[in-house]
Amino acid sequence: DAGVTQSPTHLIKTRGQQVTLRCSPKSGHDTVSWYQQALGQGPQFIFQYYEEEERQRGNFPDRFSGHQFPNYSSELNVNALLLGDSALYLCASSSPTESGGKDTEAFFGQGTRLTVV
Amino acid sequence: GEDVEQSLFLSVREGDSSVINCTYTDSSSTYLYWYKQEPGAGLQLLTYIFSNMDMKQDQRLTVLLNKKDKHLSLRIADTQTGDSAIYFCAESWNNYGQNFVFGPGTRLSVLP
């Protein structure tokens, strides 16, 4: 099992451009969450996808959008890039149950480091 | 709103115990987690504690939860150089799971 895989690992974009990041969840997981981790900070929750729908969203502008495919993989799209969007973008997959805790452990990918210049 | 705070740096000698502290504000948090992040890597779950527990021990790791003070700590016994990393405290409050609020992380340096 390859675990959670993200692509690309590194990306450089120019301010104003658009970017798409990709995530393949761990086998058997149907839920994908995206986080933004700025340098020196903890990850910030962007949104979560389940059954191809955005289920929950953090405090991020509409420039951040996503998609989940029938095979549970997911994309994060960011439009009109700003310098402040430079960060490590982490994807986490899980298969939630009502019980929470260990049964709903989230597995994180290695992240995509986005640099906006 | 939710907020999680941690001290930013901790330095210990190899073989000593490390104690990393965290405070959180959301009393409705259901689970509290400790994650480890090594340079250039994603997040690795170390341990978690359910909010109705006071303590959890898992090999070298001991988690203490003071729900009244909203204080969480992670003790690493016999700290090794391989434990050098950033440790994140996180809270989660919904049954959909994994919508974490993370602290800023504590950078643990283990000196030989």
Side-chain angles (χ1 to χ4, degrees):
Chain A
D1 182 5
V4 180
T5 58
Q6 292 186 242
S7 62
T9 54
H10 295 84
L11 200 54
I12 300 175
K13 287 287 189 179
T14 303
R15 191 172 48 183
Q17 285 188 315
Q18 179 264 344
V19 68
T20 297
L21 310 182
R22 296 176 175 82
C23 172
S24 292
K26 181 178 169 62
S27 177
H29 285 182
D30 57 9
T31 301
V32 173
S33 301
W34 287 92
Y35 291 82
Q36 180 195 66
Q37 185 179 16
L39 197 62
Q41 297 183 22
Q44 301 286 318
F45 174 69
I46 303 175
F47 43 53
Q48 182 183 78
Y49 275 83
Y50 172 70
E51 292 188 344
E52 302 180 51
E53 297 281 336
E54 181 184 293
R55 181 159 64 179
Q56 295 205 12
R57 189 179 183 93
N59 189 24
F60 278 79
D62 292 345
R63 297 187 298 108
F64 289 77
S65 63
H67 188 77
Q68 186 178 34
F69 298 93
N71 67 352
Y72 308 126
S73 66
S74 177
E75 288 182 349
L76 163 65
N77 301 293
V78 186
N79 294 323
L81 284 166
L82 303 174
L83 297 179
D85 295 331
S86 295
L88 179 68
Y89 288 84
L90 294 165
C91 168
S93 76
S94 59
S95 183
T97 67
E98 289 297 317
S99 62
K102 183 65 173 175
D103 290 340
T104 59
E105 178 179 347
F107 288 82
F108 283 82
Q110 300 296 299
T112 294
R113 182 157 304 279
L114 171 65
T115 303
V116 182
V117 296
Chain B
E2 308 85 14
D3 196 15
V4 178
E5 295 184 354
Q6 300 176 239
S7 52
L8 298 182
F9 300 97
L10 177 65
S11 182
V12 300
R13 292 255 175 225
E14 191 174 15
D16 289 348
S17 292
S18 307
V19 179
I20 303 172
N21 295 301
C22 166
T23 57
Y24 61 98
T25 57
D26 191 341
S27 58
S28 63
S29 295
T30 307
Y31 290 92
L32 294 142
Y33 298 80
W34 285 103
Y35 276 86
K36 176 182 181 183
Q37 186 175 39
E38 296 182 81
L43 300 176
Q44 174 195 353
L45 176 65
L46 289 178
T47 187
Y48 70 98
I49 189 168
F50 188 44
S51 58
N52 68 353
M53 298 169 63
D54 298 323
M55 186 185 87
K56 181 178 180 181
Q57 187 153 2
D58 185 358
Q59 299 182 333
R60 291 191 299 125
L61 305 178
T62 302
V63 178
L64 295 178
L65 175 60
N66 182 329
K67 197 171 181 181
K68 174 176 169 289
D69 294 338
K70 299 189 182 68
H71 182 267
L72 182 74
S73 68
L74 173 69
R75 177 177 180 271
I76 306 173
D78 187 25
T79 313
Q80 303 297 307
T81 54
D83 295 323
S84 293
I86 301 175
Y87 291 80
F88 291 97
C89 169
E91 60 178 345
S92 177
W93 62 96
N94 65 65
N95 284 334
Y96 295 138
Q98 297 81 45
N99 294 355
F100 302 114
V101 175
F102 285 91
T106 298
R107 182 178 295 276
L108 174 64
S109 298
V110 182
L111 307 175

